[in-house]
Short mmCIF file of all heavy atoms in Angstrom, two decimals:
data_model
loop_
_atom_site.label_atom_id
_atom_site.label_comp_id
_atom_site.label_asym_id
_atom_site.label_seq_id
_atom_site.Cartn_x
_atom_site.Cartn_y
_atom_site.Cartn_z
N ARG A 446 -4.09 61.92 -60.46
CA ARG A 446 -3.02 62.91 -60.38
C ARG A 446 -2.79 63.40 -58.96
O ARG A 446 -1.74 63.99 -58.67
CB ARG A 446 -3.32 64.11 -61.28
CG ARG A 446 -3.43 63.78 -62.76
CD ARG A 446 -3.31 65.04 -63.62
NE ARG A 446 -4.09 66.16 -63.12
CZ ARG A 446 -5.35 66.42 -63.42
NH1 ARG A 446 -6.00 65.60 -64.25
NH2 ARG A 446 -5.97 67.48 -62.94
N THR A 447 -3.75 63.17 -58.07
CA THR A 447 -3.63 63.69 -56.70
C THR A 447 -3.50 62.57 -55.66
O THR A 447 -3.83 62.77 -54.49
CB THR A 447 -4.83 64.59 -56.35
OG1 THR A 447 -6.05 63.86 -56.57
CG2 THR A 447 -4.82 65.85 -57.21
N GLY A 448 -3.02 61.40 -56.10
CA GLY A 448 -2.74 60.32 -55.15
C GLY A 448 -3.93 59.49 -54.74
O GLY A 448 -3.89 58.82 -53.71
N HIS A 449 -5.00 59.50 -55.54
CA HIS A 449 -6.20 58.74 -55.21
C HIS A 449 -6.58 57.80 -56.36
O HIS A 449 -7.73 57.74 -56.79
CB HIS A 449 -7.37 59.68 -54.90
CG HIS A 449 -7.13 60.52 -53.68
ND1 HIS A 449 -6.46 61.73 -53.74
CD2 HIS A 449 -7.43 60.33 -52.38
CE1 HIS A 449 -6.38 62.25 -52.52
NE2 HIS A 449 -6.96 61.42 -51.68
N GLN A 450 -5.58 57.04 -56.83
CA GLN A 450 -5.84 56.12 -57.94
C GLN A 450 -6.95 55.12 -57.62
O GLN A 450 -7.64 54.64 -58.53
CB GLN A 450 -4.57 55.34 -58.29
CG GLN A 450 -3.54 56.09 -59.09
CD GLN A 450 -2.44 55.17 -59.57
OE1 GLN A 450 -2.72 54.13 -60.17
NE2 GLN A 450 -1.19 55.53 -59.30
N HIS A 451 -7.11 54.80 -56.33
CA HIS A 451 -8.09 53.78 -55.97
C HIS A 451 -9.52 54.20 -56.29
O HIS A 451 -10.43 53.36 -56.31
CB HIS A 451 -7.97 53.42 -54.48
CG HIS A 451 -8.18 54.56 -53.55
ND1 HIS A 451 -7.28 55.62 -53.46
CD2 HIS A 451 -9.17 54.85 -52.67
CE1 HIS A 451 -7.73 56.48 -52.57
NE2 HIS A 451 -8.87 56.04 -52.08
N VAL A 452 -9.74 55.50 -56.54
CA VAL A 452 -11.07 55.96 -56.95
C VAL A 452 -11.01 56.65 -58.31
O VAL A 452 -11.75 57.61 -58.58
CB VAL A 452 -11.71 56.88 -55.88
CG1 VAL A 452 -12.22 56.06 -54.71
CG2 VAL A 452 -10.75 57.96 -55.40
N CYS A 453 -10.14 56.15 -59.17
CA CYS A 453 -10.08 56.63 -60.55
C CYS A 453 -11.45 56.45 -61.21
O CYS A 453 -12.08 55.40 -61.09
CB CYS A 453 -9.03 55.85 -61.33
SG CYS A 453 -9.05 56.12 -63.13
N LYS A 454 -11.91 57.48 -61.93
CA LYS A 454 -13.25 57.42 -62.54
C LYS A 454 -13.29 56.46 -63.73
O LYS A 454 -14.38 56.11 -64.20
CB LYS A 454 -13.68 58.82 -62.97
CG LYS A 454 -12.82 59.46 -64.04
CD LYS A 454 -13.19 60.93 -64.26
CE LYS A 454 -14.58 61.08 -64.81
NZ LYS A 454 -14.89 62.51 -65.11
N LYS A 455 -12.13 56.02 -64.21
CA LYS A 455 -12.10 55.11 -65.36
C LYS A 455 -11.54 53.73 -64.99
O LYS A 455 -11.01 53.02 -65.83
CB LYS A 455 -11.25 55.72 -66.48
CG LYS A 455 -11.80 57.05 -67.01
CD LYS A 455 -10.89 57.62 -68.09
CE LYS A 455 -11.43 58.97 -68.58
NZ LYS A 455 -10.50 59.57 -69.60
N THR A 456 -11.67 53.35 -63.73
CA THR A 456 -11.10 52.09 -63.26
C THR A 456 -11.63 50.89 -64.05
O THR A 456 -12.84 50.77 -64.28
CB THR A 456 -11.41 51.88 -61.77
OG1 THR A 456 -10.77 52.91 -61.01
CG2 THR A 456 -10.90 50.53 -61.28
N ILE A 457 -10.71 50.01 -64.43
CA ILE A 457 -11.06 48.70 -64.98
C ILE A 457 -10.74 47.67 -63.91
O ILE A 457 -9.60 47.59 -63.43
CB ILE A 457 -10.25 48.39 -66.26
CG1 ILE A 457 -10.61 49.38 -67.37
CG2 ILE A 457 -10.49 46.95 -66.72
CD1 ILE A 457 -9.72 49.27 -68.59
N GLY A 458 -11.72 46.89 -63.52
CA GLY A 458 -11.50 45.84 -62.53
C GLY A 458 -11.16 44.54 -63.21
O GLY A 458 -12.01 43.91 -63.85
N LYS A 459 -9.89 44.15 -63.11
CA LYS A 459 -9.46 42.88 -63.71
C LYS A 459 -10.18 41.73 -63.01
O LYS A 459 -10.26 41.68 -61.79
CB LYS A 459 -7.95 42.75 -63.54
CG LYS A 459 -7.31 41.54 -64.23
CD LYS A 459 -7.16 41.75 -65.71
CE LYS A 459 -6.23 40.72 -66.34
NZ LYS A 459 -6.29 40.74 -67.81
N GLY A 460 -10.73 40.82 -63.79
CA GLY A 460 -11.51 39.73 -63.23
C GLY A 460 -12.97 40.09 -63.07
O GLY A 460 -13.78 39.26 -62.64
N ILE A 461 -13.33 41.32 -63.44
CA ILE A 461 -14.73 41.76 -63.45
C ILE A 461 -15.06 42.34 -64.82
O ILE A 461 -16.02 41.92 -65.48
CB ILE A 461 -15.00 42.82 -62.36
CG1 ILE A 461 -14.71 42.23 -60.98
CG2 ILE A 461 -16.45 43.32 -62.43
CD1 ILE A 461 -14.79 43.24 -59.85
N HIS A 462 -14.23 43.27 -65.28
CA HIS A 462 -14.47 43.93 -66.57
C HIS A 462 -13.62 43.35 -67.70
O HIS A 462 -13.91 43.60 -68.87
CB HIS A 462 -14.20 45.43 -66.44
CG HIS A 462 -15.02 46.08 -65.38
ND1 HIS A 462 -14.46 46.78 -64.33
CD2 HIS A 462 -16.36 46.10 -65.17
CE1 HIS A 462 -15.42 47.22 -63.54
NE2 HIS A 462 -16.57 46.83 -64.01
N GLU A 463 -12.57 42.62 -67.35
CA GLU A 463 -11.80 41.88 -68.35
C GLU A 463 -11.24 40.63 -67.69
O GLU A 463 -11.26 40.50 -66.47
CB GLU A 463 -10.68 42.73 -68.95
CG GLU A 463 -9.56 43.09 -68.00
CD GLU A 463 -8.39 43.77 -68.72
OE1 GLU A 463 -8.57 44.82 -69.35
OE2 GLU A 463 -7.27 43.22 -68.64
#
Side-chain angles (χ1 to χ4, degrees):
R446 298 197 316 271
T447 55
H449 296 86
Q450 283 189 51
H451 59 292
V452 284
C453 169
K454 64 188 295 184
K455 298 178 182 178
T456 297
I457 296 172
K459 186 77 166 168
I461 299 174
H462 303 123
E463 67 172 59

